[in-house]
Amino acid sequence: MHYNEKPSVLIVDDEDMVITSLRAYLRLETEYHVEGITDPEDAVRYLEANGVDVVISDYLMPKMNGIELLARAKRLQPESTRVLLTGHADKQSAIQAINEVGLYQYIEKPWENAQLLLVIQNGIERAQLLRRLREKISELDTAHSNLKDVQSRLLRAFL
């Protein structure tokens, strides 16, 4: 999985204007790598090849809805932070998304830029902490395995 040096945000919305607006705002306010994709299937292919810290998806899109996309994102990149953006105040969808995809935040259109930026900043920090935690757990597993190997060799040496 390829990760950018900068924090990375993927925006998926079938409305190009939403992507253009968010990308312009984030480029003005941050140094993040921002990728915008209008086709959810293309977004899945992007997630298969590129690590992202935050995935923001519209709820209603042709071919695949935002919950389905975020479920695929969770399987591909479990540490990524998942945000659902919707123009429909559908509480049932939010509950479904929270339960099914480990949704971090549910934001209604029109969004407030400052609030969305805070969600993205916190989401990036969360994703990076989770990745570091996974790496540390892996290091501990390796160290534990090595220690068991040393113990086993010591026992054989004295028996």
Side-chain angles (χ1 to χ4, degrees), residues 7 42 49 60 64 72 85-86 94 109 114 119 129-130 159:
D42 289 343
L60 285 179
M64 182 186 312
R72 304 265 301 266
L85 192 62
T86 183
K109 293 177 184 177
V119 166
L129 286 170
L130 284 172
L159 294 178

Short mmCIF file of all heavy atoms in Angstrom, two decimals, residues 7 42 49 60 64 72 85-86 94 109 114 119 129-130 159:
data_model
loop_
_atom_site.label_atom_id
_atom_site.label_comp_id
_atom_site.label_asym_id
_atom_site.label_seq_id
_atom_site.Cartn_x
_atom_site.Cartn_y
_atom_site.Cartn_z
N PRO A 7 -0.57 13.98 4.80
CA PRO A 7 -1.85 13.34 5.10
C PRO A 7 -2.72 13.34 3.84
O PRO A 7 -2.67 14.27 3.04
CB PRO A 7 -2.45 14.25 6.18
CG PRO A 7 -1.28 14.89 6.84
CD PRO A 7 -0.28 15.08 5.73
N ASP A 42 -14.33 3.62 -9.30
CA ASP A 42 -12.97 4.15 -9.47
C ASP A 42 -12.35 4.43 -8.10
O ASP A 42 -11.15 4.22 -7.89
CB ASP A 42 -12.97 5.44 -10.29
CG ASP A 42 -13.29 5.20 -11.76
OD1 ASP A 42 -13.19 4.03 -12.22
OD2 ASP A 42 -13.64 6.18 -12.46
N ALA A 49 -4.95 0.68 -4.23
CA ALA A 49 -3.55 0.99 -4.56
C ALA A 49 -2.93 2.08 -3.70
O ALA A 49 -1.71 2.18 -3.62
CB ALA A 49 -3.45 1.40 -6.03
N LEU A 60 -25.80 9.36 -1.50
CA LEU A 60 -26.54 8.95 -2.69
C LEU A 60 -25.70 9.14 -3.95
O LEU A 60 -25.41 10.25 -4.34
CB LEU A 60 -27.84 9.76 -2.82
CG LEU A 60 -28.97 9.38 -1.89
CD1 LEU A 60 -30.17 10.29 -2.12
CD2 LEU A 60 -29.36 7.92 -2.05
N MET A 64 -23.25 2.68 -6.57
CA MET A 64 -22.91 2.24 -5.22
C MET A 64 -23.19 3.41 -4.26
O MET A 64 -22.76 4.52 -4.52
CB MET A 64 -21.41 1.89 -5.21
CG MET A 64 -20.87 1.37 -3.92
SD MET A 64 -19.04 1.14 -3.97
CE MET A 64 -18.74 0.26 -5.49
N ARG A 72 -16.47 -0.99 1.78
CA ARG A 72 -15.33 -1.49 1.00
C ARG A 72 -14.04 -0.83 1.50
O ARG A 72 -13.00 -1.47 1.60
CB ARG A 72 -15.53 -1.21 -0.49
CG ARG A 72 -16.81 -1.78 -1.07
CD ARG A 72 -16.73 -3.12 -1.75
NE ARG A 72 -15.84 -3.27 -2.86
CZ ARG A 72 -16.17 -3.13 -4.13
NH1 ARG A 72 -17.39 -2.78 -4.47
NH2 ARG A 72 -15.28 -3.36 -5.07
N LEU A 85 -21.11 12.02 3.85
CA LEU A 85 -21.61 13.35 3.52
C LEU A 85 -22.94 13.16 2.79
O LEU A 85 -22.99 12.42 1.82
CB LEU A 85 -20.58 14.03 2.62
CG LEU A 85 -20.68 15.51 2.34
CD1 LEU A 85 -20.55 16.32 3.62
CD2 LEU A 85 -19.59 15.91 1.35
N THR A 86 -23.97 13.82 3.26
CA THR A 86 -25.26 13.61 2.62
C THR A 86 -26.12 14.85 2.61
O THR A 86 -26.01 15.70 3.49
CB THR A 86 -26.04 12.45 3.29
OG1 THR A 86 -27.25 12.25 2.58
CG2 THR A 86 -26.35 12.73 4.73
N ALA A 94 -27.64 6.97 8.86
CA ALA A 94 -26.52 7.28 9.75
C ALA A 94 -26.32 6.15 10.74
O ALA A 94 -25.19 5.69 10.96
CB ALA A 94 -26.77 8.59 10.49
N LYS A 109 -25.17 18.00 4.06
CA LYS A 109 -24.98 19.11 3.12
C LYS A 109 -26.10 20.10 3.38
O LYS A 109 -27.22 19.68 3.64
CB LYS A 109 -25.07 18.63 1.68
CG LYS A 109 -23.96 17.72 1.23
CD LYS A 109 -24.24 17.29 -0.20
CE LYS A 109 -23.24 16.29 -0.72
NZ LYS A 109 -23.57 15.83 -2.08
N ALA A 114 -15.53 25.03 8.44
CA ALA A 114 -14.69 24.93 9.64
C ALA A 114 -14.97 23.61 10.38
O ALA A 114 -14.05 22.96 10.86
CB ALA A 114 -14.94 26.12 10.56
N VAL A 119 -13.25 17.91 11.55
CA VAL A 119 -13.50 16.47 11.43
C VAL A 119 -12.35 15.80 10.66
O VAL A 119 -11.86 14.74 11.06
CB VAL A 119 -14.86 16.21 10.73
CG1 VAL A 119 -15.00 14.75 10.29
CG2 VAL A 119 -16.01 16.61 11.65
N LEU A 129 -2.67 7.45 14.27
CA LEU A 129 -2.47 6.78 15.56
C LEU A 129 -2.80 5.29 15.46
O LEU A 129 -2.06 4.45 16.00
CB LEU A 129 -3.33 7.44 16.65
CG LEU A 129 -2.86 8.79 17.14
CD1 LEU A 129 -3.92 9.43 18.04
CD2 LEU A 129 -1.54 8.68 17.89
N LEU A 130 -3.88 4.95 14.77
CA LEU A 130 -4.25 3.54 14.61
C LEU A 130 -3.18 2.78 13.83
O LEU A 130 -2.86 1.64 14.16
CB LEU A 130 -5.61 3.42 13.92
CG LEU A 130 -6.82 3.73 14.79
CD1 LEU A 130 -8.09 3.76 13.94
CD2 LEU A 130 -6.96 2.71 15.92
N LEU A 159 19.13 -29.11 28.57
CA LEU A 159 18.49 -30.41 28.78
C LEU A 159 19.24 -31.52 28.13
O LEU A 159 20.04 -31.48 27.31
CB LEU A 159 17.05 -30.39 28.26
CG LEU A 159 16.11 -29.48 29.01
CD1 LEU A 159 14.71 -29.50 28.38
CD2 LEU A 159 15.98 -29.91 30.48
#
